[in-house]
Amino acid sequence: MTGFCQGGEAYLAGVQADIDFFNASAIAAGYNGTPELPAGLVAWEAVVKEMVDQYMISFPNTPLFITAARPYPDLLTPSLQGGTTAMNDIFAWGVANYPGRFGIMNAQLHVTSTLGYFLNAAIYANHLTEPVGIQFLCNSGPDNIARLCNAPPYGDGPLLRPYNAMNASFTAGVSFGCNFIEVYEYDVTNPAYQTMLATQRAALQRN
């Protein structure tokens, strides 16, 4: 499901000028902020609910996925706060109103993915009742392997061999209870990965 974001995931605004614009537009449209959310995210939640309702009406027999993200970033500046809260509000609403059909997906699987990240936690919290899945952050090609490992310059993780990085990422996704893991074509067609892909597929089928 899309239409309530400015990208393929649920990102709405990431810089102050855009956030100020959305907040001002929401106030002009009659929305008010709360102690937890600025006006722009109050309006965003209302719009997401309306759009999800329409998706569910249009596809009554189909589980539908929201590819989650923070609509506003969570930073120290007060006007930038609330992204995690707003996304979690939508998870709770969607699961309550469309049990068994409100799919939750994250597009950031990598070697150091853990349940400490709120989107992975939401997947795990709902994996017994809702369709859930995850997409690799990137493929394991030479230009991306450091990013996949969260190694310098992206983070402090060790730079692993591509096979080990893929396998560790898969294992993390399986541990979150995912029903599926979306893999880039570069890796799906890699002859060196075929046994690993088969093993991890079997693990996913057991979830």
Side-chain angles (χ1 to χ4, degrees):
M1 297 179 286
T2 187
F4 36 75
C5 48
Q6 293 202 85
E9 301 161 42
Y11 296 110
L12 180 65
V15 298
Q16 189 67 54
D18 288 344
I19 290 166
D20 290 344
F21 170 80
F22 279 109
N23 287 339
S25 297
I27 292 169
Y31 294 94
N32 296 309
T34 70
E36 293 79 26
L37 297 175
L41 288 184
V42 173
W44 179 81
E45 286 191 8
V47 170
V48 171
K49 292 175 181 179
E50 181 177 352
M51 296 187 78
V52 170
D53 283 339
Q54 289 303 312
Y55 273 107
M56 294 296 182
I57 291 168
S58 299
F59 303 96
N61 301 311
T62 305
L64 299 171
F65 282 85
I66 187 166
T67 306
R70 293 184 178 97
Y72 285 5
D74 290 337
L75 300 176
L76 295 178
T77 304
S79 63
L80 296 180
Q81 294 175 350
T84 298
T85 297
M87 195 71 257
N88 280 332
D89 286 348
I90 294 300
F91 292 153
W93 171 85
V95 169
N97 284 274
Y98 299 103
R101 294 180 59 214
F102 187 79
I104 298 172
M105 179 178 170
N106 174 17
Q108 300 179 43
L109 179 63
H110 52 85
V111 171
T112 59
S113 292
T114 69
L115 289 176
Y117 183 49
F118 84 109
L119 296 183
N120 298 333
I123 288 171
Y124 182 75
N126 294 284
H127 78 279
L128 295 178
T129 59
E130 306 304 310
V132 294
I134 201 164
Q135 177 190 14
F136 268 85
L137 175 65
C138 56
N139 67 41
S140 65
D143 294 337
N144 290 322
I145 188 61
R147 187 177 178 216
L148 184 61
C149 293
N150 198 35
Y154 302 97
D156 299 326
L159 185 64
L160 304 178
R161 291 176 52 236
Y163 181 99
N164 293 338
M166 289 291 296
N167 199 47
S169 301
F170 267 121
T171 299
V174 169
S175 75
F176 303 154
C178 289
N179 306 129
F180 70 88
I181 295 177
E182 185 177 339
V183 186
Y184 285 89
E185 182 179 5
Y186 176 94
D187 298 312
V188 170
T189 58
N190 188 332
Y193 292 169
Q194 297 310 303
T195 298
M196 171 181 58
L197 289 169
T199 300
Q200 296 290 1
R201 177 188 178 186
L204 284 168
Q205 289 174 328
R206 291 193 292 270
N207 275 349

